[in-house]
Amino acid sequence: MGRRENCVAPCGKALGSLVAWLRTMRRHAGVSYEELAKRTAVRRLPDGTVARCSADTLARAAAGQRVPKLRTVLAYAVACGTDADPREGERLWKRARYEETLPLREREGHAKHVTYIQDFADLRIALIDLYRKDGSRPYEAIERDSGGVLAHATVSRVINGSTGRPTREFVMAFAETCGVRGKALVDWGQAWDRAEGRRIGPRPKARKPAVTPHAWSRGSKRLLGSYSFHTTVSAVSDVDTFVYLDRVRLPDGEDVWVANNLSTKVADLYAAKLHRAEQRQATLSQRQLDAARSLDRARRRPE
């Protein structure tokens, strides 16, 4: 076992728990720090790599003066044998790292629970708190653990507040990478939904377009519901036009109606494609589908 270890330095409760666990694992393994260092050179970490820690590095990890690196904790646990679970070491390490951020959290204000988040300001603070609870790992490590879904540069901008509001996909992937699972992960998605709903405000009720067929053209006209109608451009022309309205939502949340038109020759083509699309032989945009279906209704409606 070598010489007797020094007393644990004065430290926080979470760091004290980590140090006590490390020392207990080494005592159960019955090895010196020199032997422990030799084992770290041959035993692989959970990610398949080898840490190769020196005896002094391992001794400092269990001294309680500061929170060691995660790789050092994992190497220490793996070198101690089967009694030391690296996952428990990582859990204690995250608690110790989170304890280090207490002065920052007291200055900035504590984050709200995810179920009480109302806007993107609350959401960003909660994301930072989640990042700290996960040990404030390097952004590159988060990118690696997310399988490349979260770019380290994007994570940096969100955590540092140098970018706009995060997307829902980012929030969900970030929470999952930080260890959130099950119902708690659903709560993060709902938190983003509430923040987005507050940003855009209540959605106004959709209104029928204040347009009549006479406002568009002369000749024979047939109204097809509230959104579209089939009409003739001019009484002396044999060119038919299919006119319909698209509902568009402006950035401020207001719904407006925009007029679009296309010739019945093109609409016939859309209708033909619609037949094939239903048989999974063609793909149409939503606008093309609307036009084709409205034309079908016009043909089936009795005069």
Side-chain angles (χ1 to χ4, degrees), residues 94-252:
K94 287 180 178 180
R95 288 180 57 191
R97 286 281 286 170
Y98 187 61
E99 185 180 62
E100 280 189 321
T101 65
L102 181 59
L104 277 175
R105 287 182 279 129
E106 289 179 341
R107 270 200 316 270
E108 298 170 356
H110 294 279
K112 293 182 179 179
H113 189 271
V114 63
T115 56
Y116 293 104
I117 291 174
Q118 296 298 326
D119 53 34
F120 281 107
D122 292 343
L123 182 61
R124 178 179 172 271
I125 294 173
L127 287 172
I128 295 173
D129 191 64
L130 180 62
Y131 170 71
R132 290 169 176 168
K133 286 180 177 177
D134 192 48
S136 302
R137 294 181 295 152
Y139 302 139
E140 291 78 6
I142 294 178
E143 179 177 7
R144 182 189 66 244
D145 291 349
S146 70
V149 174
L150 301 172
H152 68 272
T154 304
V155 175
S156 173
R157 289 195 296 269
V158 172
I159 297 300
N160 296 326
S162 58
T163 187
R165 60 187 182 279
T167 64
R168 194 179 198 277
E169 291 73 19
F170 175 92
V171 171
M172 297 296 286
F174 185 83
E176 188 173 8
T177 304
C178 290
V180 180
R181 298 290 184 273
K183 175 63 170 60
L185 187 60
V186 175
D187 290 340
W188 280 95
Q190 292 174 346
W192 188 94
D193 293 339
R194 287 194 300 274
E196 178 67 5
R198 184 159 185 169
R199 182 186 71 85
I200 64 177
R203 184 168 182 172
K205 293 182 178 180
R207 295 171 297 183
K208 291 184 179 181
V211 173
T212 63
H214 296 284
W216 295 99
S217 61
R218 296 169 297 168
S220 62
K221 313 167 188 67
R222 184 170 4 203
L223 185 64
L224 302 180
S226 302
Y227 299 90
S228 54
F229 57 89
H230 178 214
T231 184
T232 302
V233 173
S234 128
V236 297
S237 171
D238 60 353
V239 178
D240 285 346
T241 301
F242 189 77
V243 181
Y244 59 98
L245 303 176
D246 287 331
R247 190 174 70 182
V248 178
R249 194 173 195 189
L250 299 180
D252 61 2

Side-chain angles (χ1 to χ4, degrees), residues 11-27:
C11 60
K13 182 178 179 180
L15 179 54
S17 298
L18 173 61
V19 168
W21 183 81
L22 292 174
R23 292 190 174 201
T24 301
M25 293 302 102
R26 189 177 75 88
R27 186 168 61 251

Side-chain angles (χ1 to χ4, degrees), residues 21-51:
W21 183 81
L22 292 174
R23 292 190 174 201
T24 301
M25 293 302 102
R26 189 177 75 88
R27 186 168 61 251
H28 287 173
V31 295
S32 65
Y33 280 115
E34 287 71 19
E35 177 60 28
L36 213 59
K38 292 177 182 178
R39 292 184 180 185
T40 63
V42 294
R43 297 190 180 181
R44 296 187 178 277
L45 302 181
D47 63 0
T49 61
V50 175

Side-chain angles (χ1 to χ4, degrees), residues 265-291:
K265 182 177 181 181
V266 176
D268 283 336
L269 178 61
Y270 287 170
K273 285 187 177 182
L274 175 61
H275 260 321
R276 295 198 297 272
E278 291 172 346
Q279 300 171 5
R280 300 184 181 277
Q281 296 177 356
T283 302
L284 296 178
S285 68
Q286 188 60 48
R287 176 179 173 180
Q288 294 170 338
L289 284 172
D290 289 343

Side-chain angles (χ1 to χ4, degrees), residues 73-98:
V73 173
L74 296 178
Y76 197 118
V78 169
C80 285
T82 55
D83 288 342
D85 185 358
R87 291 173 298 181
E88 176 64 10
E90 183 174 1
R91 185 186 71 83
L92 293 172
W93 176 83
K94 287 180 178 180
R95 288 180 57 191
R97 286 281 286 170
Y98 187 61

Side-chain angles (χ1 to χ4, degrees), residues 252-274:
D252 61 2
E254 182 185 0
D255 284 351
V256 297
W257 298 88
V258 178
N260 294 288
N261 62 76
L262 67 161
S263 70
T264 51
K265 182 177 181 181
V266 176
D268 283 336
L269 178 61
Y270 287 170
K273 285 187 177 182
L274 175 61

